[in-house]
């Protein structure tokens, strides 16, 4: 990104929706409308690329050539996607950054969606100035995680895929927001699943702070008070925009 850039475009590709906006980099705020389209069914690379091109056109900032960050729900190493939990298996071991750069005809920065949400909350949100270990989790179609120690991100932690002893389904299949919807759970019933999840994270990592992002974080009052943890747990300040801002 150029040193002079004051604004950038963030695109957050999720299992359900693709969201984009223009971000003021000093304030860490959206300074445009938030454009959203549904993630194409099957989430195949070509279809996702077309959808991203579409949101960028709708945003109407193409001529300005603002720096562009794209966040994706998979392990991302050196521009390659290495996993595909809620998207097409074609993304496994795929040169995704290069694919988007060719398709969009420009440079981009490409990273894991939860990692960038963590960066947004550390720079501009609930974890600003936090010392020690912050674990940000996003509760959406899956569970994403960002591990941040004294402000430094340890990327690709993938804590949504922790296994549950004696069960075949992993943590995200059991406790993501999509599991609440799929199993039609009340806040109380869902909170029991979250209690297991956050207690397990607490036992494994002894974090200093949890931050909870994803669309459902706007209803944090309904479920965070039901959790009994030793670690402070806060909703993401940027809610579901943390991915766009961090990207
Ligand atoms: C993926 C992660 C992603 C998370 C949230 C998980 O299924 O494996 O890479 O961060 O979903 O989208």
């Amino acid at each position: 990104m150029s040193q002079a850039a004051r604004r950038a475009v963030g695109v957050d590709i999720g299992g359900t929706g693709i969201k984009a906006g223009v971000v003021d980099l000093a304030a860490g705020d959206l300074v445009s409308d938030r454009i959203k389209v549904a993630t194409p069914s099957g989430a195949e690379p070509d279809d996702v690329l077309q959808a991203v091109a579409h949101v960028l056109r709708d945003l109407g900032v193409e001529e300005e050539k603002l720096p562009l960050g794209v966040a994706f729900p998979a392990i991302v190493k050196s521009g390659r996607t290495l996993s595909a939990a809620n998207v097409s298996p074609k993304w496994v071991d795929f040169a995704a950054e290069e694919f988007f750069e060719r398709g969009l005809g420009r440079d981009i920065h490409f990273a894991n969606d939860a990692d960038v949400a963590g960066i947004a909350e550390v720079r501009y949100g609930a974890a600003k100035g936090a010392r020690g270990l912050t674990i940000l989790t996003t509760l959406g179609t899956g569970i994403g995680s960002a591990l941040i120690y004294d402000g430094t991100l340890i990327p690709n932690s993938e804590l949504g895929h922790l296994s549950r002893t004696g069960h075949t389904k992993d943590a995200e299949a059991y406790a993501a927001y999509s599991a609440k919807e799929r199993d039609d759970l009340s806040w109380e019933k869902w909170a029991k699943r979250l209690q297991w999840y956050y207690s397990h994270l607490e036992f494994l990592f002894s974090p200093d702070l949890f931050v909870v992002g994803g669309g459902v974080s706007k209803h944090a009052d309904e479920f965070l008070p039901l959790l009994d943890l030793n670690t402070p747990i806060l909703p993401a300040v940027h809610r579901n925009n943390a991915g766009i801002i961090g990207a």
Side-chain angles (χ1 to χ4, degrees):
M1 180 167 45
S2 101
Q3 289 300 313
R6 310 185 89 104
R7 295 187 307 149
V9 176
V11 177
D12 185 10
I13 300 171
T16 317
I18 298 178
K19 294 153 279 183
V22 180
V23 179
D24 176 316
L25 296 175
D29 280 337
L30 278 197
V31 289
S32 71
D33 287 343
R34 180 172 180 270
I35 310 286
K36 184 170 177 185
V37 298
T39 304
S41 127
E44 303 254 335
D46 284 329
D47 298 336
V48 171
L49 172 64
Q50 292 317 315
V52 169
H54 181 146
V55 290
L56 290 176
R57 263 196 313 276
D58 280 1
L59 211 50
V61 288
E62 278 157 305
E63 315 79 63
E64 291 183 56
K65 287 281 175 229
L66 297 174
L68 172 62
V70 178
F72 194 81
I75 299 170
V76 178
K77 236 178 140 105
S78 307
R80 293 184 85 79
T81 40
L82 300 183
S83 65
N86 295 303
V87 289
S88 152
K90 290 192 179 151
W91 295 94
V92 178
D93 201 17
F94 182 70
E97 185 171 59
E98 199 183 309
F99 173 76
F100 280 109
E101 290 190 335
R102 282 226 188 107
L104 299 172
R106 52 162 305 161
D107 280 350
I108 66 165
H109 182 77
F110 189 73
N112 172 265
D113 57 352
D115 281 344
V116 304
I119 292 291
E121 289 298 314
V122 161
R123 292 249 178 101
Y124 314 108
K128 191 167 180 186
R131 307 312 296 168
L133 180 63
T134 297
I135 302 183
L136 171 129
T137 54
T138 58
L139 302 173
T141 313
I143 295 182
S145 62
L147 289 186
I148 293 146
Y149 192 84
D150 279 355
T152 301
L153 174 75
I154 302 151
N156 292 312
S157 50
E158 293 292 330
L159 301 180
H161 299 295
L162 287 174
S163 37
R164 294 190 300 138
T165 316
H167 292 86
T168 45
K169 283 187 176 168
D170 62 9
E172 76 172 20
Y174 179 63
Y177 180 59
S178 60
K180 177 184 186 303
E181 293 196 306
R182 183 193 63 221
D183 298 341
D184 199 16
L185 302 177
S186 63
W187 293 112
E188 288 72 19
K189 287 211 165 126
W190 186 47
K192 292 213 167 82
R193 297 189 184 189
L194 294 176
Q195 179 69 48
W196 165 78
Y197 183 61
Y198 288 106
S199 298
H200 194 45
L201 289 182
E202 203 166 50
F203 170 67
L204 292 175
F205 294 99
S206 302
D208 297 286
L209 175 66
F210 285 123
V211 179
V212 179
V216 72
S217 59
K218 63 175 177 281
H219 301 299
D221 288 353
E222 303 278 4
F223 63 96
L224 291 189
L226 305 179
L227 302 179
D228 182 14
L229 298 162
N230 297 318
T231 311
I233 185 162
L234 299 173
V237 167
H238 296 286
R239 306 287 196 254
N240 214 16
N241 289 335
I244 299 176
I245 294 169

